[in-house]
Amino acid sequence: IDGNVGLLGADYDGYFPVYYSSQREKNCHLSQPIGNSFLGLATLKSAPINWSQLSELTAYRLGVVEGYANGAEFDAAIKDKSQPVETAASDAQNLRKLLDGKVRGIVIDRNVLAYTLMRMGGAPQVQISARPIGLLPLHVCFKRNPAALAMRDAFDLALKSNDPVALETEYFQIFAGAARRP
């Protein structure tokens, strides 16, 4: 669900996943973190980028999705124009630019990359860095009204009695199994 549908649609009380931002906190009742987003640098296996510090990436024009958070340090480099980027409207569009050789690398969540490659193809050509560009906690964004606040509070209480990492692992195991079925 995209944020507009999740916050404006009458059939929804919120949406997942979202990263924290001060603006989002004004628009949502944010849940406690439920898992993390590993933002990595995806490259073609035939043209990898070896790096150990984010500052080394300034030598490359990288694809990012317009309006997405990419971690504080990387976003600061974009803002001060030391990190050249090319924006795309979606992760799929960004991945297409990578596969077509229009950018050297793209910033993308590891799980989103796996899902998008499954849908679009190209997995044998693409790799993702072992080093993260950012590790960002994921939240549920509940509408900013009393009923949704009560839902957020109930969600957070239930979350305390579960292991978010174990839930995430189980989810992706189920997802991967479903993806392999004919």
Side-chain angles (χ1 to χ4, degrees):
I1 292 178
D2 82 30
N4 289 331
V5 172
L7 287 180
L8 302 176
D11 294 337
Y12 300 95
D13 294 304
Y15 66 102
F16 174 83
V18 299
Y19 301 140
Y20 171 84
S21 74
S22 57
Q23 182 59 46
R24 194 162 281 132
E25 191 171 45
K26 292 175 187 172
N27 296 334
C28 305
H29 292 298
L30 291 172
S31 72
Q32 290 299 308
I34 178 168
N36 286 298
S37 173
F38 177 102
L39 291 174
L41 179 66
T43 60
L44 295 176
K45 288 179 182 176
S46 61
I49 297 174
N50 297 310
W51 60 282
S52 58
Q53 295 181 36
L54 286 180
S55 60
E56 295 172 76
L57 297 177
T58 60
Y60 305 96
R61 177 172 293 286
L62 303 175
V64 297
V65 177
E66 181 72 36
Y68 280 17
N70 302 292
E73 186 180 351
F74 192 83
D75 285 342
I78 292 172
K79 186 175 181 178
D80 74 17
K81 300 194 184 326
S82 62
Q83 176 61 61
V85 294
E86 184 170 321
T87 60
S90 68
D91 286 304
Q93 185 182 65
N94 218 13
L95 180 58
R96 176 57 42 213
K97 286 180 181 184
L98 176 65
L99 290 168
D100 291 344
K102 294 180 179 173
V103 292
R104 280 292 306 276
I106 61 173
V107 178
I108 189 167
D109 174 271
R110 176 175 42 203
N111 294 319
V112 171
L113 176 64
Y115 174 79
T116 308
L117 286 168
M118 182 185 70
R119 294 183 50 109
M120 290 177 51
Q125 299 168 266
V126 177
Q127 65 185 16
I128 191 159
S129 59
R131 178 176 292 104
I133 284 180
L135 286 171
L136 304 177
L138 297 171
H139 304 267
V140 178
C141 172
F142 290 93
K143 288 182 177 179
R144 195 158 259 298
N145 63 44
L149 176 60
M151 284 183 225
R152 193 275 318 262
D153 291 346
F155 181 86
D156 284 351
L157 184 61
L159 194 58
K160 286 181 183 179
S161 64
N162 288 287
D163 176 2
V165 174
L167 289 173
E168 182 181 42
T169 301
E170 181 181 358
Y171 170 80
F172 284 109
Q173 288 172 341
I174 292 168
F175 178 76
R180 285 191 290 268
R181 291 188 198 128

